[in-house]
């Protein structure tokens, strides 16, 4: 009985179920990357706040080596460069919600981020862990795709790569973990008349974030309704109902699960999109 409940995900296994592992606590990015390069017959995993990583290990994931990122210098900075906000991958949700620079450069993002989970999750969980967990219901990747953010990775071969948040779903989940690429920061365009709105009232059926850049460009990103967030660019200006209908009609087939069917999710995408595009127009710059 207990076993069935655990298999169904209703009861968590305790810490006692975690297999033995070696804990590495690097202080530099280069050492974290080196620690991830283990022999072929063993495995390694990064851990930031540890919320998802520990759960996965309780559920049977058994990396030989866990690399704790909490002491790695350079992962917790927040700065502004060339008109863009740079947020270190190790910055917690709580800091995003309360940091004065983010409040001044991206207030809508800070407000949306403050709606995540509960205070314990926001104090421990990081933006990097939220992205790298690749969970279809997590809000970070949806908001960041709508904002036109880019993810910066350092790789074990010494290369740096930049990936647009809206094309992040094209990177197969697991490929990032296997390669040992370390997400170091997230770059978010700011300035102008950028606005962002987020509606998570229908989670876990669908979540929708819509951003406009003040130059006639809009981006809508949707979570929960697909295996990975879907982001669509659109031109601001036409009637909100028409834009919403066009975007919703062209979406890939949404998932069907115990919470909702595909048709309902598509209908709700149209309803929430229309509502948010109208709201953005009313808010103005
Ligand atoms: C009760 C509860 C409610 C929640 N509610 C919400 C919610 O409303 N919205 C929402 O979006 N989320 C929600 N979450 C999820 C939460 O935001 C994430 O669990 C958290 O952000 C994960 O961050 P972490 O630092 O703990 O990641 P970890 O568990 O440390 O890591 C997660 C994954 O990312 C990898 N990783 C971490 N950092 C890096 C890096 N820098 N480079 C490469 N790989 C890395 C790890 O190897 C692991 O695979 C909720 C969680 C709980 C438990």
């Amino acid at each position: 009985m207990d076993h069935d409940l655990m298999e169904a995900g209703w009861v968590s296994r305790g810490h006692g179920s975690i297999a033995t592992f070696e804990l590495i606590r690097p202080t530099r990015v280069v050492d974290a990357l080196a620690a991830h390069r283990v022999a072929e017959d063993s495995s390694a995993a990064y851990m930031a706040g540890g919320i998802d990583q520990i759960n996965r290990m309780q559920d049977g994931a058994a990396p030989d080596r866990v690399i704790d990122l909490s002491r790695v210098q350079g992962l917790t900075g927040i700065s502004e460069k060339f008109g863009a906000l740079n947020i270190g991958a190790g910055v917690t949700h709580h800091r995003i919600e309360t940091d004065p620079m983010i409040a001044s450069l991206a207030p809508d993002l800070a407000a949306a981020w403050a709606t995540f989970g509960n205070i314990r999750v926001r104090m421990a969980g990081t933006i990097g862990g939220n992205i790298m967990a690749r969970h279809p219901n997590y809000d970070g990747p949806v908001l960041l795709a709508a904002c036109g953010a880019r993810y910066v990775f350092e790789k074990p071969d010494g290369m740096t790569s930049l990936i647009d948040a809206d094309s992040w779903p094209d990177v197969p989940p697991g490929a990032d973990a296997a390669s040992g690429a370390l997400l170091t920061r997230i770059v978010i365009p700011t300035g102008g008349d950028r606005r962002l709105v987020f509606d998570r009232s229908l989670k876990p059926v669908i979540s929708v974030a819509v951003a406009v850049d003040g130059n006639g460009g809009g981006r809508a990103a949707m979570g929960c309704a697909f295996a990975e967030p879907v982001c669509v660019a659109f031109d601001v200006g036409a009637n909100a109902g028409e834009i919403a209908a066009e975007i919703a009609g062209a979406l890939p087939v949404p998932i069907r699960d115990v919470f909702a069917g595909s048709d309902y999710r598509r209908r709700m995408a149209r309803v929430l999109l229309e509502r948010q595009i109208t709201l953005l127009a009313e808010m103005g710059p």
Side-chain angles (χ1 to χ4, degrees), residues 21-42:
F21 61 87
E22 181 189 7
L23 179 66
I24 315 270
R25 309 189 92 177
T27 55
R28 300 183 309 162
V29 166
V30 66
D31 296 330
L33 291 167
H36 205 284
R37 277 196 300 268
V38 287
E40 252 174 39
D41 57 351
S42 60

Side-chain angles (χ1 to χ4, degrees), residues 171-236:
V171 178
D176 39 277
S179 75
L182 180 71
L183 177 63
T184 53
R185 64 193 159 93
I186 295 90
V187 184
I188 302 162
T190 61
D193 299 327
R194 291 177 184 277
R195 297 301 312 248
L196 166 76
V197 288
F198 183 45
D199 191 329
R200 48 176 285 156
S201 60
L202 289 184
K203 277 184 81 176
V205 171
I206 190 168
S207 62
V208 180
V210 183
V212 290
D213 63 15
N215 296 316
R219 304 166 75 87
M222 281 142 278
C224 303
F226 309 94
E228 298 269 354
V230 169
C231 185
V232 182
F234 65 90
D235 291 328
V236 179

Side-chain angles (χ1 to χ4, degrees), residues 9-242:
W10 292 106
V11 176
S12 292
R13 292 173 170 84
H15 283 36
S17 62
I18 294 177
T20 311
F21 61 87
E22 181 189 7
L23 179 66
I24 315 270
R25 309 189 92 177
T27 55
R28 300 183 309 162
V29 166
V30 66
D31 296 330
L33 291 167
H36 205 284
R37 277 196 300 268
V38 287
E40 252 174 39
D41 57 351
S42 60
S43 58
Y46 292 124
M47 181 171 75
I51 299 173
D52 287 77
Q53 188 56 39
I54 297 290
N55 271 343
R56 287 176 189 179
M57 287 160 67
Q58 285 177 347
D59 287 346
D64 300 295
R65 197 176 261 199
V66 173
I67 303 153
D68 172 19
L69 300 175
S70 63
R71 298 179 184 189
V72 176
Q73 291 156 23
L75 295 187
T76 54
I78 298 172
S79 61
E80 193 261 334
K81 269 184 214 149
F82 309 118
L85 183 61
N86 282 252
I87 303 181
V91 169
T92 62
H93 302 318
H94 183 255
R95 266 188 75 205
I96 295 177
E97 172 187 344
T98 54
D99 181 79
M101 185 178 287
I102 300 180
S104 128
L105 295 175
D108 295 337
L109 183 70
W113 219 274
T115 64
F116 289 17
N118 56 47
I119 186 65
R120 287 197 303 171
V121 167
R122 296 203 298 277
M123 293 298 284
T126 63
I127 182 172
N130 190 274
I131 295 164
M132 298 304 290
R134 305 296 296 254
H135 194 296
N137 292 8
Y138 285 3
D139 301 314
V142 176
L143 290 165
L144 294 166
C147 289
R150 303 180 95 186
Y151 302 156
V152 183
F153 288 89
E154 297 300 329
K155 296 185 160 179
D157 61 7
M159 303 293 281
T160 301
S161 75
L162 269 85
I163 300 181
D164 290 334
D166 59 5
S167 55
W168 176 233
D170 301 337
V171 178
D176 39 277
S179 75
L182 180 71
L183 177 63
T184 53
R185 64 193 159 93
I186 295 90
V187 184
I188 302 162
T190 61
D193 299 327
R194 291 177 184 277
R195 297 301 312 248
L196 166 76
V197 288
F198 183 45
D199 191 329
R200 48 176 285 156
S201 60
L202 289 184
K203 277 184 81 176
V205 171
I206 190 168
S207 62
V208 180
V210 183
V212 290
D213 63 15
N215 296 316
R219 304 166 75 87
M222 281 142 278
C224 303
F226 309 94
E228 298 269 354
V230 169
C231 185
V232 182
F234 65 90
D235 291 328
V236 179
N239 173 284
E242 284 169 18

